[in-house]
Amino acid sequence: MVNLNDKIALVTGAARGIGASIALKLASAGCDVMVSDIDLEGAQKTALQIIEMGRDAKFVKTDVSQMSDAENMIKTTLDLFGRIDILVNNAGITRDSLLMRMNESEWDTVIAINLKGTFNCIKAATRSMLKQRAGKIINIASVVGVMGNAGQANYSASKAGVIGLTKSIAKEFGPRNIQVNAIAPGYIETEMTKNLPESAKEAYFNIIPLKRAGLPDDVADVVLFLAGPLSDYVTGQVIHVDGGMVM
Ligand code: NAP
């Protein structure tokens, strides 16, 4: 078991789905957690679950696409916990449509939350993390950022951007002993994917060698590895958690 006793973790989009699973997993390894989400009620629920597990947790309403919100999230975390050891940029959305039908707002919103949101949170945390000369940044990308996907030009571009951002920041922050990595989940069962048509789910199963959908915990397990000392010599990497879909 990875021991993260008394580390401070901040997870965005942690009201439900993969983010909630990551927050709970980090708490089970010993972290105190700042739970951040645009959905305050959901964030509070996740925080209460963590407190019931015996760790400290607070929650903060954050729209990651707004720099002022990201700055407030980081300031609140530093005020309440004193430091941030692990930053998980998980908040993300889809607005799927074929490019021919995709409107400008669908493009802009997805880029603003998935890509600029990740930039905003890293940027706001930079000063304190660099000063500490230690830290882990984990960005949740997607396999479609690597392989593309019809109907997801906006989402695929945003996640490809997250991968480029991850590698660049890994190079900038490496000398300060901060590891920056990305996870590229495949098809994971959450609210985000629950309304996919059966034909799309079937198509996924056909190309997944492990022949099942992933669960939020499958992603959280890899976050645990990237958040702890077992990955101290790993940076700038994209780890696929996709049942072998892309290799
Ligand atoms: P989810 O169930 O939809 O949860 C996403 C959470 O992020 C929700 O609580 C949502 O709140 C919140 N959120 C939305 N916009 C936000 C914003 N502007 N600021 C802060 N929080 C915001 O999604 P998920 O499946 O757990 O996905 C988590 C991450 O994994 C995303 O980055 C996603 O792209 C990535 N991913 C998922 C899959 C998959 O198959 N599920 C695959 C690859 C990558 P609201 O409900 O209020 O909008």
Side-chain angles (χ1 to χ4, degrees):
M1 183 65 182
V2 178
N3 183 347
L4 297 176
N5 256 348
D6 301 323
K7 296 280 184 200
I8 307 301
L10 165 54
V11 186
T12 69
R16 65 167 197 231
I18 294 171
S21 185
I22 290 169
L24 293 168
K25 187 78 71 174
L26 289 170
S28 74
C31 288
D32 293 335
V33 185
M34 174 59 93
V35 179
S36 164
D37 204 289
I38 200 166
D39 167 11
L40 190 63
E41 217 174 289
Q44 182 175 17
K45 258 171 55 190
T46 305
L48 284 176
Q49 278 179 273
I50 290 171
I51 290 165
E52 278 163 16
M53 292 163 64
R55 297 305 317 184
D56 196 5
K58 305 276 191 254
F59 54 96
V60 60
K61 183 178 167 76
T62 314
D63 176 350
V64 294
S65 69
Q66 303 302 310
M67 181 57 99
S68 55
D69 272 29
E71 285 171 347
N72 176 61
M73 171 185 83
I74 297 296
K75 183 179 181 309
T76 308
T77 310
L78 292 173
D79 287 350
L80 292 172
F81 291 107
R83 55 190 285 124
I84 298 165
D85 301 299
I86 300 155
L87 169 64
V88 184
N89 291 303
N90 163 80
I93 62 158
T94 52
R95 292 286 181 274
D96 297 351
S97 177
L98 291 172
L99 191 78
M100 211 164 65
R101 289 197 210 109
M102 187 177 292
N103 62 40
E104 200 180 343
S105 136
E106 288 166 333
W107 174 270
D108 286 346
T109 309
V110 168
I111 299 293
I113 294 174
N114 297 6
L115 179 55
K116 182 155 184 283
T118 303
F119 161 77
N120 286 345
C121 297
I122 295 173
K123 174 82 181 151
T126 295
R127 190 185 299 251
S128 72
M129 284 188 113
L130 288 183
K131 235 164 63 187
Q132 280 168 206
R133 292 182 172 270
K136 305 275 189 177
I137 298 176
I138 301 154
N139 298 324
I140 305 302
S142 166
V143 288
V144 305
V146 176
M147 67 178 196
N149 199 20
Q152 290 197 306
N154 49 358
Y155 183 76
S156 304
S158 74
K159 295 300 189 177
V162 166
I163 290 171
L165 176 66
T166 301
K167 293 180 181 182
S168 302
I169 306 296
K171 290 186 176 180
E172 290 187 23
F173 289 8
R176 297 289 185 107
N177 189 33
I178 294 166
Q179 292 79 26
V180 189
N181 291 289
I183 293 176
Y187 166 36
I188 310 294
E189 275 175 358
T190 66
E191 289 286 315
M192 184 179 270
T193 50
K194 93 169 182 215
N195 292 325
L196 278 177
E198 280 311 311
S199 57
K201 293 183 183 174
E202 195 65 36
Y204 275 129
F205 290 135
N206 285 336
I207 57 167
I208 297 173
L210 291 181
K211 295 295 169 207
R212 69 166 175 90
L215 299 172
D217 262 0
D218 291 315
V219 179
D221 283 338
V222 178
V223 170
L224 209 53
F225 165 69
L226 290 174
L230 295 178
S231 62
D232 278 352
Y233 200 55
V234 178
T235 198
Q237 302 305 304
V238 182
I239 302 189
H240 288 234
V241 181
D242 63 0
M245 190 195 300
V246 178
M247 60 173 89

